[in-house]
Amino acid sequence: MNWDDTPEEAAFREEVRAFVRERFPESYRPAGDEEQSLEPEDVAGYNWPVDRVADDPGRRDGARAWAEALAERGWIAPHWPEEYGGAGLSALEEFVLHEEMMRARVPTVNGIGAFLLGPTLLVHGTDEQKAAHLPPIAKGEATWAQGFSEPGSGSDLASLRTRAVRDGDDYIVDGQKVWTSLGQYADWLFVLVRTDPDADRPHRGITFLLIEANAPGVTIRPITDIRGAVPFCEIFFEGVRVPVANRVGEENRGWYVAMSALGFERAGIGATIKYEQALAELVTYLRSPDGRRFARRSPALRQEIARRQTEIRVLYNLARYTVSRQAAGDEPDFEASINQLFGAELHQRLARTGARAFGRSAALWEREGAPMNAAFTHMRRDSVASTFLGGTTEIQRNVIATRGLNLPRS
C-alpha cells in the first residue's frame, strides 16, 4: 500500500505544523520529572486532564488556552460533525492531525471523551445525548473516564457485578469499578452495569450508562501505581440514581456499545510516534561521547535496535491500515486489536532494549545523573501495564482469532 500524502493531505499537514508553531501557549511547558498517564495518546511531560486543574497557574492557563485554540478549529474532536463542535475532517485528515501533534510533542485534548465516548455516542447515542454531551467535550469543558473493569472482572469483563435496578425513570446503581484511568479528574463516567443477572449469557445482561462523577453516592479513591504516580482510581457506587435517559443503546445490550468504544480505543497513532521518538533518542545518546561506553558493552545491540525500528514501522503501517478502514466507512474491528496487541508487546520489547543498553545503570530510578535521565527505566515500569490496558493480550488474540480468522470460540 502507498501511504504517501495526497497533495491535499500534504497541504493539511503543513497547516497543522504552522498552527502548532503559532498557537501552542508558551507557558504550557512539559513537566519532565512528573510521571504521566499511561494512555497511548499522551505526550511525555503533559497530561491535559490533570494540567487543566493544576495548582501551577501557568500550566493550568496554558492547558486551557491550548484547548480553546484547538476548539476554535474543531480540532479537539476533528472527525465529528461541525454541529457538535468538530471539524468534519476525514479519518485520514484526523490521523494526520494527531500524527503531527505527537511529532511536535504537544498534547491532544480530552482524550477519552474525544477518542472513545464521542465516536461511540455518534454511533449509538440519541439525538438528546449527542446534543448534551458532545459540544462540551469538543470545547474542552467536560472530561470523561471509562468505568469498565472491576475487581475480579478485568480480562473477563462480561463477569462484571456492578448492578443497576430500574426504579421508574431511574436506575439505582451499586458496585465498584477499579483501574479507572484519570477518574479522579473526570466530570462524567461511562459505565457498564448488570441489569439482567439471569441472562442466558453474561454479556447479554449488561447496560451502558452515563453517570456524573459527582453524583450522590459516587466515591472516587485514587490508586498509586508501581511508579509512585496516581494515574487511575477505584470508584464505588452506593445507591446512585441515574436517569434512564442516560442509557446508551438498549437495556441489556450495552456489551455491543462497549465493544464499539474499545474498537476506537485500540485504533490510535500515538504509541507509534512515542516509540519512534524514544528509539531515535536512544540511538542519538549511544552515539554521543557519554553513550558510547554503553554501546560498546553489547555487540548485539545494533541488531536489536534495528529490529525495534522495523517493528515500529510495522506498527505505523498497522495504524494506517486501521484508519484506512475507518476512511472507507467501517468501524475498527479485529484490525484494531492487532494494532493494540502488537503495540503493547512492542512497548515492552523497546523498554527491555533500553534496559539492556544501559546494563546496571538501567536500575537507576532517580533521573538526575542517570543515563538519558532514566528514561528507559521509567519506560520499563510504564510498559508493565501495556499488555492489559485496553484489553489483555489474551483478549486481543481471542478477538483476532474469532473475528479475523473465523476460528471457533471453543
Side-chain angles (χ1 to χ4, degrees), residues 35 52 61 72 81 84 103 106 116 120 124 146 195 209 215 218 227-228 250 280 285-286 298 324 331 379 397 403:
E35 300 303 329
R52 77 176 187 126
D61 294 345
E72 288 175 12
Y84 297 124
R103 292 195 185 282
V106 298
L116 271 70
T120 303
H124 299 282
Q146 172 186 305
T195 43
L209 296 180
V218 176
R227 309 167 303 166
E250 299 177 28
Y285 181 82
L286 293 175
S298 176
S324 73
E331 287 188 39
M379 178 187 281
R397 286 187 168 91
R403 297 185 191 172

Side-chain angles (χ1 to χ4, degrees), residues 236-304:
F236 299 87
F237 302 94
E238 299 177 278
V240 180
R241 283 193 168 271
V242 181
V244 173
N246 286 10
R247 183 187 70 213
V248 180
E250 299 177 28
E251 185 171 287
N252 300 324
R253 299 281 293 177
W255 180 261
Y256 306 100
V257 179
M259 292 305 99
S260 289
L262 291 176
F264 291 117
E265 180 180 34
R266 297 165 184 158
I269 180 62
T272 307
I273 306 304
K274 287 170 68 174
Y275 303 160
E276 179 184 286
Q277 291 171 338
L279 187 64
E281 289 168 358
L282 175 63
V283 170
T284 298
Y285 181 82
L286 293 175
R287 286 173 171 168
S288 71
D290 289 339
R292 286 174 190 156
R293 60 192 175 99
F294 295 107
R296 287 194 296 267
R297 292 177 181 174
S298 176
L301 185 59
R302 184 187 299 270
Q303 286 81 6
E304 186 167 343

Side-chain angles (χ1 to χ4, degrees), residues 87-131:
L89 299 186
S90 70
L92 288 172
E93 287 173 324
E94 181 180 36
F95 184 94
V96 169
L97 172 62
H98 290 152
E99 180 181 0
E100 288 304 315
M101 289 175 66
M102 291 295 297
R103 292 195 185 282
R105 304 189 187 218
V106 298
T108 55
V109 167
N110 229 336
I112 290 177
F115 298 145
L116 271 70
L117 179 70
T120 303
L121 286 183
L122 286 170
V123 175
H124 299 282
T126 65
D127 290 341
E128 292 77 11
Q129 289 168 347
K130 295 173 188 177

Side-chain angles (χ1 to χ4, degrees), residues 153-214:
S153 298
S155 299
D156 184 17
L157 183 58
S159 69
L160 64 88
R161 293 176 292 179
T162 294
R163 289 286 305 276
V165 178
R166 183 75 176 262
D167 181 28
D169 292 333
D170 294 333
Y171 289 103
I172 310 299
V173 178
D174 291 277
Q176 179 187 357
K177 299 294 179 178
V178 73
W179 313 123
T180 303
S181 297
L182 302 177
Q184 64 269 44
Y185 301 101
D187 302 303
W188 283 81
L189 313 166
F190 54 100
V191 179
L192 291 181
V193 297
R194 185 162 302 285
T195 43
D196 183 2
D198 300 319
D200 58 343
R201 294 185 181 180
H203 67 274
R204 289 182 178 171
I206 291 172
T207 298
F208 192 108
L209 296 180
L210 311 178
I211 303 177
E212 287 190 81
N214 64 355

Side-chain angles (χ1 to χ4, degrees), residues 224-243:
T224 302
D225 70 7
I226 192 174
R227 309 167 303 166
V230 283
F232 33 57
C233 63
E234 56 183 344
I235 303 177
F236 299 87
F237 302 94
E238 299 177 278
V240 180
R241 283 193 168 271
V242 181

Side-chain angles (χ1 to χ4, degrees), residues 27-28 51-64:
S27 66
Y28 196 14
D51 297 338
R52 77 176 187 126
V53 294
D55 293 332
D56 177 2
R59 192 167 188 79
R60 181 179 63 247
D61 294 345
R64 294 180 180 182

